[in-house]
Amino acid sequence: IMGMTWEELVEEYKDTVASEAAYDDLVGSIVPTEAEVKAKYDEYVEAYLADLEEDPTQYVYDALYGYTIYSTPEGVRKVRHILIAIDEDAAAAISLLRENGYDTQADYLLDAALADIQLEADEALGALQAGGTTFDAAIEQYNDDEDILEEGTPVIEGTDQYDEMYVEGAMALENIGDISAELIKTDLGYYIIEYYADETEGPVDYDVVYQEIYDELLDTLQSEAWSALITQWEDAAVIEKYDENLE
């Protein structure tokens, strides 16, 4: 560290290194058993199923934001999309208008912005419907969404994680491989959606989340054991308190 001598640096980290060494020596051998990991897995699956029973759309939120998923509800599908986007400044202005209750003005601005991309959007949809291109090729050529997921985007009826028209268009597709019959109008531009796959309903495989649960239990068990040791040492020590010095 700049401005510190070697001796000062050693002194700075001496207690930390000693504490970590003591921690490893005294509680490092405490590890969760297979039965404890399996019990925690069962507990998490049961709790997650209860959450999904109350709100199945929680799955989509967790999937999008990287939370651990312990079960998949019925009716989740993966879709892929092509976004032919309107101008970014126009999209920002539309969002601001809607936030402040000016929907009529937002709709007027949206229609004008969509008119600017109409030819490109019609070209993309026409090429797909005529079989002149694949969905993969069309994504490469037309898509303006930099955050598109290669494995597909999870969608379930009722989710509020996307534009209402996007969800309606995604859930209207009947069979895997189907694509939107019409352009889907949103405040970001036109979407073309492909029904990509179905998610398998039911609990996540134990092996998929085993290491995460093991690591969590390992940290908990060792931390609890360390805290118990600290309490034991404090109880056994003769400690004189000078409360007046704390004022």
Side-chain angles (χ1 to χ4, degrees):
I1 300 175
M2 292 182 63
M4 296 181 68
T5 66
W6 172 253
E7 289 75 16
E8 290 171 336
L9 183 61
V10 170
E11 190 66 26
E12 179 78 15
Y13 287 101
K14 184 169 62 177
D15 289 343
T16 299
V17 172
S19 177
E20 290 175 351
Y23 189 96
D24 290 340
D25 185 55
L26 294 171
V27 302
S29 61
I30 299 174
V31 297
T33 64
E34 185 70 27
E36 287 173 324
V37 177
K38 181 59 166 62
K40 184 61 69 172
Y41 164 80
D42 292 338
E43 175 188 330
Y44 284 165
V45 168
E46 182 179 356
Y48 200 80
L49 284 170
D51 289 342
L52 291 180
E53 186 173 348
E54 182 176 338
D55 180 17
T57 67
Q58 179 68 33
Y59 173 92
V60 173
Y61 177 89
D62 290 344
L64 290 177
Y65 292 97
Y67 293 103
T68 303
I69 292 171
Y70 287 97
S71 189
T72 303
E74 180 182 6
V76 178
R77 61 178 55 178
K78 288 286 190 72
V79 301
R80 299 194 300 172
H81 63 250
I82 297 165
L83 169 63
I84 295 89
I86 61 173
D87 177 76
E88 290 184 1
D89 291 337
I94 290 166
S95 176
L96 184 61
L97 287 168
R98 295 214 188 279
E99 287 174 6
N100 289 279
Y102 297 106
D103 287 328
T104 300
Q105 292 86 340
D107 289 340
Y108 179 84
L109 183 56
L110 176 59
D111 287 340
L114 288 174
D116 292 337
I117 62 169
Q118 192 69 52
L119 287 177
E120 182 182 5
D122 287 340
E123 177 185 312
L125 182 61
L128 284 165
Q129 291 178 337
T133 187
T134 65
F135 207 84
D136 286 312
I139 288 175
E140 289 293 327
Q141 183 174 355
Y142 297 105
N143 181 53
D144 294 321
D145 184 0
E146 296 179 356
D147 297 324
I148 189 171
L149 301 176
E150 292 183 9
E151 69 276 15
T153 299
V155 182
I156 190 172
E157 194 74 54
T159 181
D160 60 1
Q161 294 302 307
Y162 317 108
D163 186 285
E164 182 179 351
M165 297 306 295
Y166 182 97
V167 177
E168 182 179 316
M171 300 307 296
L173 300 173
E174 296 183 359
N175 302 299
I176 293 175
D178 287 353
I179 65 169
S180 306
E182 299 177 348
L183 297 170
I184 297 170
K185 173 182 173 181
T186 75
D187 284 353
L188 295 178
Y190 283 125
Y191 279 97
I192 303 170
I193 300 176
E194 176 196 38
Y195 186 172
Y196 187 57
D198 285 320
E199 290 279 45
T200 302
E201 178 186 0
V204 64
D205 288 342
Y206 176 59
D207 292 342
V208 172
V209 293
Y210 171 83
Q211 193 62 51
E212 180 178 339
I213 296 175
Y214 179 92
D215 291 343
E216 177 188 330
L217 282 174
L218 180 68
D219 181 66
T220 298
L221 292 172
Q222 291 184 355
S223 295
E224 289 175 349
W226 181 251
S227 296
L229 279 173
I230 296 296
T231 300
Q232 179 183 331
W233 294 335
E234 290 176 343
D235 291 343
V238 178
I239 301 174
E240 291 187 32
K241 293 183 179 181
Y242 299 92
D243 293 334
E244 64 274 13
N245 293 332
L246 300 176
E247 295 179 358

